[in-house]
Amino acid sequence: MTNSDSPINNENFLELIIRKDLDNGLNKNDLKFRFPPEPNGYLHIGHAKSICLNFGLGKIFSAPVNLRFDDTNPEKESIEYINSIKKDIKWLGFEWNSECYASDYFDQLYKWAINLIKKDKAYVDFQDQEIISDQRGVPTSPGVNSPYRDKSIEENLSQFQKMKSGDYNPGECVLRAKIDMASPNMHMRDPVLYRVMKTAHHRTNEKWKIYPTYDWAHGQSDFIEKVSHSFCTLEFEVHRELYEWFLQNIDTKKSLIPKQREFARLNLSYTIMSKRKLSELVDSSLVKGWDDPRMPTISGLRRRGVPPQAILNFCEKVGISKRENIIDYALLDFCTRKILNKISYRLMVVFDPIEVVITNYDENQSETLLAENNPEDKTYGNRKISFSKNIFIEKEDFKEEANRKFFRLTLGKEVRLKNAYIIKGDSVEKDDKGNIKKIFCTYDQKSKSGSGSPESLRKVKGTIHWVDKNNYENISVDVYDKLFKIESPDENPENDFKTYINENSSNSFKNVYAESNINNVDFDKYYQFQRKGYFKLDNKSSDKKFIRTVTLRDNTKF
Ligand code: ATP
Ligand code: MG
């Protein structure tokens, strides 16, 4: 790393690198970035950070950003993953310039490999992976040369040709670059360029029996696409020397050489951030698919009801830095609440109902009250809710006897029914076991919310939600908790991360009573069940099933 690359501030050191390159003569029109996922799983929130970075820089510099599928390992990749990745990027609100595939460059990569062999800079090695690895040794002392390293160019050309034709079996041989077995950088100790793999590829079908490694494919793909800046996560910093070596050695006259720079990956508490591990959770049915609402995938977050803007705001708050750390999951929840407070429709929903009888309300009467859909935004309008003599409230919102800090319903004290009247608790009816069956109250007829009467403006300490017993819908709600019991399930490599799974992370409530406006809910809208949290209609369920996105508040300050 040169001095000019060191972060000046944590927010935008990559942006500063680009500005410096422009100052040093790089043409603004030559700026181009890419987001390069391998289609071996669904995108997670860590990818969102990289998406926001690359597409964000594209916006700042009015430069194109390619979506490049790094599809060099057909054993793990599929069209399903490609489609999900495209869907997720669009949902986050970004548009790519070209949709590219490393597999489209397989012919060119092959030609470049031939050129390397012709320059005596690559050779076919017939040793197995373990021996190759042992021979690399340790950074502090030189490795051992492969006995296949000094074959003639002709021999290597013919063997590589045979690799391509499928004459060798997987594991029998690899093509390696001939660089420096004594380099202190282990990645320069004759890295592998190609391995034999007789797996059909989702795009090139049976054509190839050899597939390029990440290192061999990545920089060259950047170069072919004329990417100016190739941003990747910090673990690739040690690959940079190799990235540059390949570009210097592929015989190209074109002037724009892409520049690889690195930033810290996103780690989030109580979760894991690796497609391989997430796919283990899916395969072992520890979660119900990639879009399980507990998953840190974009599709899981979407299903849980996290709006795209919350993810963008979260990525912005996290920023881009050179230092790895673990971000508190509560920050994502904070960003989610902040957006949902502004955009969600309010409804009243009772999770654990108990009946309240308003004794001074006429049995044959019922009325329609008006309630704001979203007090944060008047343009959301009002909704009608019905009110009558019998209503349901939450069991926990009533106590027969309570201390002065209990601001909900109790005997002898007043509380406001949200969007309705002030009521006072008078008595209770109990069953044989002493459980309260009904609460009897009286209401203040003049205290209707929004009526403007002096009584309606009277301050009472608490407000509780309710639903009309004559007009409600039964819904079910899934409430999820964190997927892992500990902050860093990934931390201890000796313990399988799956042992830290929180077995009680999924709870269902079946008999939840909602105001009848629940019949008009929409899949693409966001809801707040007042005093309970933010909820989203589950788009995977045909019944009226909701998923809790997040609770209403948390004490963590950001
Ligand atoms: P995974 O281990 O989850 O598969 P990956 O890095 O192998 O991650 P890719 O599909 O290769 O996944 O990633 C595409 C891009 O997203 C890369 O540029 C990668 O650096 C970036 N990326 C992946 N994970 C994170 C993360 N946690 N934080 C920031 N960027 C990430
Ligand atoms: Mg990868």
Side-chain angles (χ1 to χ4, degrees):
M1 184 169 70
T2 62
N3 273 342
S4 63
D5 286 354
S6 51
I8 295 176
N9 72 42
N10 276 351
E11 293 291 305
N12 58 1
F13 77 99
L14 295 174
E15 195 181 323
L16 292 174
I17 289 174
I18 297 169
R19 292 200 192 284
K20 208 156 253 169
D21 288 340
L22 292 173
D23 288 347
N24 290 335
L26 177 68
N27 188 332
K28 193 173 182 307
N29 297 329
D30 285 340
L31 287 180
K32 192 187 259 190
F33 314 113
R34 91 287 173 259
F35 172 64
E38 184 183 352
N40 61 348
Y42 282 57
L43 295 182
H44 50 64
I45 180 113
H47 293 109
K49 175 172 174 176
S50 173
I51 291 170
C52 288
L53 168 71
N54 285 294
F55 287 94
L57 289 170
K59 278 191 183 146
I60 291 172
F61 292 100
S62 308
V65 184
N66 284 354
L67 167 60
R68 159 141 28 93
F69 289 103
D70 222 329
D71 54 347
T72 52
N73 186 2
E75 282 174 354
K76 303 232 167 83
E77 299 165 2
S78 78
I79 304 272
E80 177 197 344
Y81 296 142
I82 291 178
N83 291 337
S84 75
I85 289 170
K86 284 161 52 174
K87 177 175 173 182
D88 289 350
I89 299 172
K90 283 189 200 152
W91 180 74
L92 285 172
F94 297 108
E95 267 175 59
W96 51 87
N97 178 54
S98 307
E99 181 179 327
C100 307
Y101 292 82
S103 56
D104 287 348
Y105 314 139
F106 283 174
D107 281 304
Q108 177 63 67
L109 290 169
Y110 179 74
K111 281 185 203 147
W112 275 328
I114 300 260
N115 284 350
L116 280 187
I117 297 173
K118 285 183 179 163
K119 291 202 287 184
D120 199 19
K121 287 186 174 173
Y123 61 98
V124 176
D125 193 333
F126 287 87
Q127 301 178 102
D128 69 40
Q129 220 27 71
E130 215 169 300
I131 294 175
I132 291 179
S133 206
D134 286 347
Q135 286 171 347
R136 284 212 176 94
V138 291
T140 43
S141 56
V144 175
N145 283 357
S146 161
Y148 297 92
R149 200 175 198 260
D150 294 319
K151 276 179 287 149
S152 70
I153 290 172
E154 288 67 34
E155 209 175 342
N156 281 314
L157 281 174
S158 125
Q159 287 167 346
F160 186 46
Q161 171 60 49
K162 281 189 181 165
M163 272 176 77
K164 184 185 179 236
S165 313
D167 292 1
Y168 300 121
N169 290 319
E172 206 175 332
C173 55
V174 290
L175 183 74
R176 296 175 72 181
K178 194 191 266 192
I179 308 180
D180 180 4
M181 288 301 287
S183 170
N185 181 346
M186 300 298 282
H187 294 278
M188 300 301 279
R189 294 189 179 182
D190 292 9
V192 173
L193 272 66
Y194 278 96
R195 62 255 198 248
V196 176
M197 203 189 285
K198 296 189 174 166
T199 310
H201 187 280
H202 48 97
R203 290 177 49 98
T204 58
N205 302 318
E206 311 278 337
K207 177 171 174 185
W208 295 91
K209 312 287 181 238
I210 53 171
Y211 288 95
T213 53
Y214 169 90
D215 282 319
W216 176 238
H218 203 89
Q220 280 56 257
S221 301
D222 286 338
F223 176 77
I224 292 167
E225 289 171 23
K226 299 200 170 100
V227 165
S228 60
H229 295 81
S230 175
F231 298 120
C232 55
T233 39
L234 276 182
E235 65 272 24
F236 290 100
E237 194 165 13
V238 283
H239 293 242
R240 196 204 287 179
E241 192 181 352
L242 179 58
Y243 180 100
E244 291 171 353
W245 189 92
F246 282 143
L247 288 171
Q248 280 156 14
N249 284 279
I250 56 168
D251 296 326
T252 171
K253 311 250 166 339
K254 290 188 201 152
S255 56
L256 185 76
I257 297 293
K259 187 180 241 186
Q260 176 189 300
R261 289 297 178 269
E262 308 81 14
F263 63 97
R265 63 193 293 121
L266 172 72
N267 302 304
L268 201 56
S269 64
Y270 295 99
T271 190
I272 46 165
M273 211 68 84
S274 142
K275 276 183 269 149
R276 184 178 61 73
K277 290 184 180 163
L278 293 173
S279 104
E280 257 182 84
L281 292 178
V282 175
D283 293 344
S284 53
S285 299
L286 286 165
V287 295
K288 295 176 218 129
W290 286 94
D291 65 350
D292 186 299
R294 291 165 294 181
M295 289 279 268
T297 51
I298 306 292
S299 50
L301 295 170
R302 173 170 58 231
R303 179 151 168 232
R304 213 180 77 207
V306 175
Q309 191 60 46
I311 297 177
L312 305 187
N313 292 358
F314 168 75
C315 289
E316 193 177 324
K317 269 191 187 290
V318 168
I320 298 297
S321 81
K322 270 235 166 219
R323 206 167 1 99
E324 287 247 0
N325 59 359
I326 298 179
I327 304 293
D328 191 342
Y329 203 102
L331 179 63
L332 179 58
D333 285 344
F334 171 85
C335 294
T336 303
R337 284 188 192 99
K338 214 162 172 185
I339 296 292
L340 288 180
N341 182 43
K342 285 193 213 144
I343 65 170
S344 62
Y345 288 78
R346 272 58 170 179
L347 290 171
M348 291 199 287
V349 176
V350 173
F351 279 66
D352 186 13
I354 184 161
E355 186 174 344
V356 169
V357 182
I358 301 167
T359 50
N360 59 339
Y361 198 91
D362 186 345
E363 190 144 359
N364 303 313
Q365 193 189 330
S366 82
E367 64 187 296
T368 303
L369 304 169
L370 271 190
E372 281 179 307
N373 279 330
N374 179 358
E376 299 291 316
D377 186 342
K378 302 282 177 232
T379 64
Y380 280 61
N382 295 320
R383 69 186 193 280
K384 292 176 179 161
I385 43 178
S386 69
F387 183 78
S388 62
K389 185 180 181 74
N390 301 73
I391 61 170
F392 292 114
I393 66 165
E394 299 283 357
K395 239 177 226 161
E396 62 173 21
D397 281 339
F398 176 74
K399 272 191 188 166
E400 258 184 290
E401 286 166 36
N403 65 21
R404 281 190 289 137
K405 287 192 179 140
F406 186 76
F407 296 137
R408 292 171 270 170
L409 185 62
T410 177
L411 297 184
K413 282 207 187 130
E414 289 190 316
V415 75
R416 174 169 289 286
L417 293 174
K418 182 114 195 126
N419 305 308
Y421 297 95
I422 294 173
I423 56 169
K424 189 169 90 187
D426 297 324
S427 62
V428 292
E429 181 186 316
K430 294 184 179 173
D431 65 13
D432 300 347
K433 293 185 187 120
N435 298 317
I436 298 173
K437 276 172 63 191
K438 283 182 187 171
I439 307 159
F440 296 94
C441 294
T442 41
Y443 86 120
D444 176 351
Q445 230 182 81
K446 294 187 184 139
S447 65
K448 187 157 107 179
S449 294
S451 67
S453 69
E455 288 83 355
S456 74
L457 300 172
R458 195 148 58 82
K459 287 262 178 286
V460 287
K461 281 259 165 69
T463 301
I464 60 174
H465 61 280
W466 53 277
V467 295
D468 185 354
K469 192 185 170 192
N470 291 324
N471 201 2
Y472 72 93
E473 289 294 325
N474 203 138
I475 60 167
S476 61
V477 178
D478 284 348
V479 170
Y480 294 100
D481 196 358
K482 296 189 168 69
L483 187 54
F484 289 97
K485 286 184 282 205
I486 61 165
E487 261 189 47
S488 312
D490 236 355
E491 205 170 57
N492 185 353
E494 275 160 33
N495 284 351
D496 185 344
F497 71 96
K498 295 199 289 302
T499 57
Y500 299 117
I501 283 268
N502 173 9
E503 277 105 5
N504 303 317
S505 55
S506 165
N507 290 294
S508 284
F509 294 81
K510 298 277 179 232
N511 285 311
V512 177
Y513 295 172
E515 63 173 83
S516 57
N517 289 303
I518 205 90
N519 289 321
N520 306 324
V521 293
D522 229 314
F523 280 114
D524 50 342
K525 288 195 176 119
Y526 299 89
Y527 296 93
Q528 184 195 101
F529 294 172
Q530 290 181 303
R531 301 183 62 236
K532 299 305 285 184
Y534 294 100
F535 295 80
K536 187 90 187 340
L537 190 56
D538 185 4
N539 59 14
K540 281 227 164 152
S541 165
S542 49
D543 311 329
K544 282 244 151 49
K545 194 174 84 188
F546 284 80
I547 297 174
R548 186 177 74 190
T549 310
V550 68
T551 53
L552 275 188
R553 54 186 69 83
D554 170 32
N555 296 327
T556 320
K557 295 262 185 300
F558 293 99

